[in-house]
Amino acid sequence: MDFADVVKQRRSIRAYDTEKQVSDAQLKELFSLVALSPSSYNLQPWEFIVVREKENKRRLRACAHNQQHVEDASATIIVLASLDPSGKAEAIIADRMKNRTMDNTKREQLLAAIEYFKSNPGHAKIWAIKSTSLACMTLMLAAQNMGLATCPMEGIDAEAIKKEFNIPKTHEVVMLITLGYQKGPQPPRPMRFGYEDIVRFETF
Ligand SMILES: Cc1cc2nc3c(=O)[nH]c(=O)nc-3n(C[C@H](O)[C@H](O)[C@H](O)COP(=O)(O)O)c2cc1C
């Protein structure tokens, strides 16, 4: 599909065909694209829990102000951000050193940045959520291109989700994303501000 059409056709979909399921192969294809999202220092803080079992979706819906689409979608994805920036650093540094895209100076700079984030939890949280949110957008656009519908959701009780789904303190629940086959017509698009309203040049 033409990229502009993917962007234009992506909508937040709340009505799903409960008979049609997203396959394992589709999930694999989708997350292989999500993994290509950009992230600060390429540290890839995102992780995902795909919730597909009916009873688990029911439990998740109870943690999401009872929003029906959490249960009706084929899968609802719990999007997590790891708050430990060192989590994947070792493998990423080893790979860059091997490929010679990183020297010792750059390695030290990255380790210093990681230490900074570790000693500033508030900053680490913002850091992790920023990159993970970009991965969410990749997920929604890639799903659209595969003929699947999504809805991002932050109307949730993150603490309840953490408790119900055994999510450790090291991880933040960023949002839920419902995923499945749309039922019924496209909903009317809510208004958008345009070019003149949102773009300035050179300075505020
Ligand atoms: C961070 C975020 C949180 C949202 N939370 C919810 C939610 O809890 N429930 C819901 O049905 N839609 C939610 N939405 C969807 C918005 O309502 C929707 O994106 C907006 O109205 C624009 O419509 P569109 O996505 O169809 O263009 C959320 C969207 C974003 C980006």
Side-chain angles (χ1 to χ4, degrees):
M1 204 191 296
D2 177 65
F3 182 71
D5 288 335
V6 174
V7 173
K8 285 177 190 162
Q9 286 174 23
R10 182 221 56 84
R11 299 295 316 284
S12 290
I13 297 303
R14 300 171 181 94
Y16 289 92
D17 183 341
T18 53
E19 303 301 314
K20 274 180 96 178
Q21 305 308 320
V22 176
S23 69
D24 288 352
Q26 284 172 304
L27 286 174
K28 258 195 172 161
E29 182 183 342
L30 180 64
F31 282 103
S32 68
L33 296 172
V34 170
L36 300 179
S37 304
S39 61
S40 172
Y41 295 105
N42 192 33
L43 287 172
Q44 306 164 54
W46 46 70
E47 289 176 36
F48 306 91
I49 301 175
V50 178
V51 180
R52 291 190 288 190
E53 301 289 333
K54 189 134 190 70
E55 186 46 37
N56 291 335
K57 284 194 290 184
R58 221 171 260 153
R59 286 167 56 222
L60 189 54
R61 177 186 165 192
C63 306
H65 304 304
N66 249 342
Q67 297 189 72
Q68 181 69 40
H69 39 312
V70 171
E71 201 174 320
D72 291 346
S74 173
T76 294
I77 298 156
I78 306 174
V79 180
L80 301 175
S82 166
L83 299 175
D84 177 7
S86 60
K88 294 171 181 159
E90 204 180 309
I92 289 159
I93 289 172
D95 179 68
R96 289 196 60 191
M97 295 295 276
K98 194 170 135 213
N99 294 335
R100 296 180 190 282
T101 54
M102 177 177 258
D103 57 21
N104 278 328
T105 310
K106 280 187 180 155
R107 180 174 169 276
E108 290 308 317
Q109 282 168 352
L110 177 52
L111 291 174
I114 288 172
E115 276 316 304
Y116 170 76
F117 286 129
K118 283 177 92 165
S119 55
N120 291 275
H123 213 128
K125 194 166 157 179
I126 293 169
W127 168 85
I129 291 174
K130 257 186 215 172
S131 294
T132 303
S133 297
L134 294 177
C136 290
M137 196 69 243
T138 306
L139 193 159
M140 290 185 277
L141 293 178
Q144 183 65 43
N145 195 43
M146 292 166 67
L148 298 170
T150 57
C151 182
M153 303 173 66
E154 66 174 354
I156 57 173
D157 180 343
E159 282 312 310
I161 293 174
K162 283 174 98 164
K163 209 165 145 206
E164 280 289 322
F165 292 86
N166 302 320
I167 297 162
K169 282 194 176 70
T170 49
H171 289 64
E172 181 78 12
V173 177
V174 176
M175 65 178 82
L176 303 181
I177 301 180
T178 54
L179 177 71
Y181 287 92
Q182 180 173 345
K183 189 171 109 184
Q186 203 69 337
R189 184 188 290 287
M191 71 80 75
R192 289 298 207 266
F193 292 97
Y195 180 82
E196 284 80 9
D197 306 304
I198 62 174
V199 181
R200 291 183 176 90
F201 287 94
E202 316 316 334
T203 182
F204 194 93

